[in-house]
Amino acid sequence: MEPTRVEQLVDDEWKPVHGITNVVIYDEQQITRITERIHEVQDAMTALMHAYAEAARPLLVEAARAFQTLHQAGLVENDGKPTKRRDRPAWQSPYGPAQRRK
């Protein structure tokens, strides 16, 4: 089977259209079946996303409760970043005091 060429009329001359690998022509029945199939797939994807959201809801609620508990305990700020430790002065390094040089 020889490949089909696609051409367009430019300045009263037919020129090939490059980059097109195939052309499919559908009749009205085929278009109707394809459209119905697309709607079936869309409905299935919508149902899947709703099921996923419902399955994820308890996990997200629990994560929100855990964050709220950490925030109320003063361990995280509103944006989720850890708060500064309160068990030592701000000037003191978490690695201990600086070593003295001899």
Side-chain angles (χ1 to χ4, degrees):
M1 181 177 199
E2 185 177 321
T4 304
R5 284 177 35 144
V6 177
E7 297 179 338
Q8 65 181 352
L9 187 61
V10 178
D11 298 328
D12 296 326
E13 184 180 344
W14 287 100
K15 295 186 179 181
V17 178
H18 300 288
I20 295 178
T21 57
N22 66 357
V23 175
V24 179
I25 299 173
Y26 295 104
D27 65 18
E28 194 65 35
Q29 267 187 331
Q30 290 171 318
I31 291 173
T32 302
R33 285 195 305 264
I34 291 169
T35 303
E36 289 171 357
R37 184 67 181 133
I38 289 171
H39 289 299
E40 289 173 14
V41 171
Q42 285 175 333
D43 293 343
M45 288 300 297
T46 301
L48 173 69
M49 296 309 291
H50 283 289
Y52 180 80
E54 285 302 313
R57 184 185 312 270
L59 299 172
L60 295 173
V61 168
E62 190 57 37
R65 284 188 188 133
F67 176 79
Q68 186 177 15
T69 302
L70 290 172
H71 181 65
Q72 288 173 348
L75 299 174
V76 294
E77 296 175 358
N78 284 337
D79 59 359
K81 293 181 181 174
T83 56
K84 301 220 186 277
R85 292 180 60 168
R86 298 180 187 174
D87 61 343
R88 64 174 144 250
W91 55 265
Q92 186 179 0
S93 164
Y95 305 106
Q99 298 293 323
R100 295 183 187 246
R101 296 186 183 190
K102 294 182 185 179

